[in-house]
Amino acid sequence: MAPGRFEPIVASARTNPLRRFRLIALAPVLALLALSAWAFASPMGAAPDDDYHLVSIWCSTDNPAYCQSGATDSTRLVPQALLSSPCYAFVSEESAACQDRIDFGSTSLVETDRGNFEGEYPPLYYSVMSVFVGDDTMFSVMAMRLFNVLLFVALTAALYMLLPVSRRPALVWGWLVTTMPLGVFLLASNNPSGWAVTGVGSAWLALLSYYEAETRVARAASAVLVVISVLMAAGSRGDSALYVVGALGVAIILVFENTRRFWLLSLLPVAMGVVAGVFFLTARQTSAGINGFAGAEAGPAAAQAATAADSLAGFGLLAYNLLNVPSLWIGAFGGWDLGWLDTPIPASVVFFGIAAFVALGFAGLGVLNWRKAFVVASVGFVLWILPTYVLTQGGDKVGEQVQPRYILPLIVLMGGLLVVQAGRKRVALGRVQTVAIVVVLSAANLVALHMNMRRYVTGNDVPGWNLNAGAEWFWSGAPAPMVVWAVGSTAFAGMVAILAREIHIAPVVATNNATAATTATGASPDAASGAPNDADASAALLAPSGITRVPA
C-alpha cells in the first residue's frame, strides 16, 4: 500500500458510519460554495478586459447569430451587450445597475476590434468556453464561471487524493496563501488568467504525483492531470505557456534520478513541454511581452506610477523597475485594486495575506536541501527579473502595463515550493501557528468578498455592512447579497479549517500508524502507512511545531 494514501478501515469503523466519515470529504463541497460566492460577487464584465475576452468566446462559436465577419480581418460583428457590460468600469462609486439599461436579448450586432481576431491569445480557452454560449447571455456567463470553479475544485481534489501525505501541504498551503484575494477573484471569473493560475499551480504537483506513483492506476490518473493542467495553462495565455514549462522543470529537478525508468517516464513532460512551446510561439501576445508593450495603455494602473519617475530612461528606468517590482507581488494579496483596477481592498486584507504567506515561507525556508533551494531561488529570480525586463524593454514603469495577475501563476508556484517536502524532512506548524493562519485567511476572505460585492451592489459611495440595504444591482434569481456573502465566507472559513487540521495532524498520525504497523507485522516503518481519521485529531493536535520526519 502506498504510504499515506489510503486509510485502513478497522472493525469498529465498519460498524459505525460516523467513524468512517472524515471531515476532509466536506472540503471540496465547501470550496465549491466559497468560490461560487465569488462568481456571484461581481457582474458580467467585471474582470480586466472582459469585453475583449467575452467577444473572443462568442466568436469561437462559429455561429453567425453571435459573431460575423467585419469590414476587415481584425474586426467582427458581435452583440452590443458584450461590449457594454463593463459600463461601470473605472468608477468605483457606480454600481453595476447601469447594466439594466443594456438590452441583453437584442439580436443586433455591432462592429468591434476588441477580440482575439489576430491570435494574440491561444484559442483553447475561448473554444472551451464557447460551449456554454447561448441565447441567454447572463446565464452563459455564469455557466462559464461555475464550470471554471468546478474544474479547479475537481482538479485540486484529484491531486489531493493522488498525492502522498508528505506532498499535500504544498498543494493545500500553496493555494491558500497565494490566492487571496486576486486568485479567487480570477478563478471564479471569465478571464483566461484563471486557467493560467490553475494550470501552472497544478501541473508541477501532478508531475510529482506521476513520478512518485506506486500503482499503474495512480500514475495513469496523474498523467491525465498533467495533460489537463498543461493544456489549461498553455491554452489560456502565451506567458503561462512558458510558465508551465518552467513548472514541469521544477518538478523534474525535485525528483530527478539518473535511471532508465526515470528517463522513460520523462517522455510525458517532454511531450507536454513541446505542446506548451507551440502555444507559446504561436501567440502574438508572447512577442509583445518579449519586446515590451511599447507604451500601450493597459488601464488605470498607468496613473498609479510615480510621477517622479516620468522622465526615467535607460539605467534609471531599469533601476526604478528593479527596486519596485515587489509592488506587483503585493498586488496578488490585494495591494492592487480588483476588477478593472477599480475595486479597492482594505489594507487589513493585504496584511493578513502577506502575513500568512511570510509565516509559511519562513517555516519552509527552514527545511531545505540543494534541490529545493535551487528551485525556490530560480522561481524567485524569475519573479523579480521577468517583470523588470518586460517593463524596461517597453519603456514602462512599475504600475504601467504589467499587472499582478500576469505573474500570479509564478507566485502560486512559489507558495507551493516553499512548503514542499525536502528529502525526508517536511515543514510542520504548531497548533497556535495553524489556528492563526486559519483565522487571518478566513478574515481576509470575509472582508475582501464583502468589499468586492459592495463595489457592484451599491457602489463604494454607500457605507455599511448590510449589502441588502439599498441594493442597486444583483444577479436575477440568485439569493440575496447578504446570503451569498454569509455562505461564501462561512464555507471558506470551514474549508480552510478542515484542510489546515488535516495537514496538521496527518504527519503525526501517519507516523503513529506506521510505528503501530511495524510493531504488529515486523515490517519496516516505510512499508506501513495510514491517513488520519477524526478519532486521532485530539492527540495529534498537541504535536509541537518544527521539522518532522515522516514516511516519504
Side-chain angles (χ1 to χ4, degrees), residues 63-90:
N63 187 333
Y66 304 134
C67 182
Q68 298 177 12
S69 299
T72 68
D73 291 339
S74 60
T75 62
R76 297 291 187 275
L77 299 174
V78 298
Q80 177 67 56
L82 301 180
L83 300 171
S84 302
S85 59
C87 54
Y88 45 78
F90 309 133

Side-chain angles (χ1 to χ4, degrees), residues 169-190:
L171 174 71
V172 172
W173 291 127
W175 282 118
L176 289 180
V177 302
T178 58
T179 55
M180 180 56 59
L182 179 59
V184 291
F185 176 85
L186 292 173
L187 290 172
S189 75
N190 300 105

Side-chain angles (χ1 to χ4, degrees), residues 59-307:
C59 285
S60 295
T61 61
D62 294 326
N63 187 333
Y66 304 134
C67 182
Q68 298 177 12
S69 299
T72 68
D73 291 339
S74 60
T75 62
R76 297 291 187 275
L77 299 174
V78 298
Q80 177 67 56
L82 301 180
L83 300 171
S84 302
S85 59
C87 54
Y88 45 78
F90 309 133
V91 185
S92 62
E93 292 77 18
E94 182 175 347
S95 73
C98 59
Q99 289 189 343
D100 293 339
R101 299 189 294 270
I102 301 174
D103 184 2
F104 287 95
S106 174
T107 57
S108 61
L109 305 179
V110 297
E111 191 167 16
T112 181
D113 61 355
R114 290 281 290 169
N116 193 44
F117 309 140
E118 297 184 331
E120 287 88 352
Y121 285 76
L124 182 60
Y125 174 80
Y126 300 131
S127 297
V128 174
M129 292 298 105
S130 69
V131 173
F132 300 96
V133 174
D135 293 336
D136 189 332
T137 305
M138 290 292 192
F139 180 85
S140 300
V141 167
M142 183 53 67
M144 295 172 203
R145 293 185 181 185
L146 295 181
F147 172 78
N148 288 336
V149 166
L150 180 62
L151 185 59
F152 169 77
V153 173
L155 189 59
T156 305
L159 275 174
Y160 188 93
M161 294 173 63
L162 289 168
L163 288 167
V165 167
S166 59
R167 294 295 191 196
R168 290 175 181 171
L171 174 71
V172 172
W173 291 127
W175 282 118
L176 289 180
V177 302
T178 58
T179 55
M180 180 56 59
L182 179 59
V184 291
F185 176 85
L186 292 173
L187 290 172
S189 75
N190 300 105
N191 195 290
S193 293
W195 267 32
V197 173
T198 299
V200 175
S202 302
W204 72 285
L205 286 166
L207 188 57
L208 284 183
S209 177
Y210 168 77
Y211 277 121
E212 298 175 341
E214 299 195 6
T215 67
R216 291 183 178 179
V217 173
R219 178 163 291 119
S222 299
V224 171
L225 297 186
V226 170
V227 172
I228 292 174
S229 300
V230 171
L231 289 178
M232 289 183 68
S236 56
R237 292 183 57 91
D239 50 8
S240 62
L242 182 62
Y243 297 159
V244 80
V245 172
L248 297 177
V250 160
I252 291 173
I253 292 171
L254 288 174
V255 297
F256 177 79
E257 56 185 35
N258 191 17
T259 63
R260 182 174 181 273
R261 171 183 173 276
F262 183 86
W263 288 110
L264 287 175
L265 290 176
S266 296
L267 292 176
L268 174 65
V270 169
M272 296 313 300
V274 171
V275 171
V278 172
F279 277 110
F280 174 77
L281 294 174
T282 55
R284 293 187 59 188
Q285 173 197 38
T286 300
S287 62
I290 293 175
N291 299 319
F293 292 101
E297 289 299 327
Q304 299 174 2
T307 55

Side-chain angles (χ1 to χ4, degrees), residues 48 134 158 248 281 287 309-310 367 419 423 430 442 509 546:
L248 297 177
L281 294 174
S287 62
D310 286 344
V367 181
V419 293
S442 300
V509 176

Side-chain angles (χ1 to χ4, degrees), residues 357-383:
F357 182 89
V358 170
L360 277 166
F362 273 104
L365 290 176
V367 181
L368 290 175
N369 58 14
W370 75 265
R371 296 186 189 220
K372 178 177 175 179
F374 177 77
V375 296
V376 167
S378 297
V379 174
F381 177 82
V382 173
L383 270 170

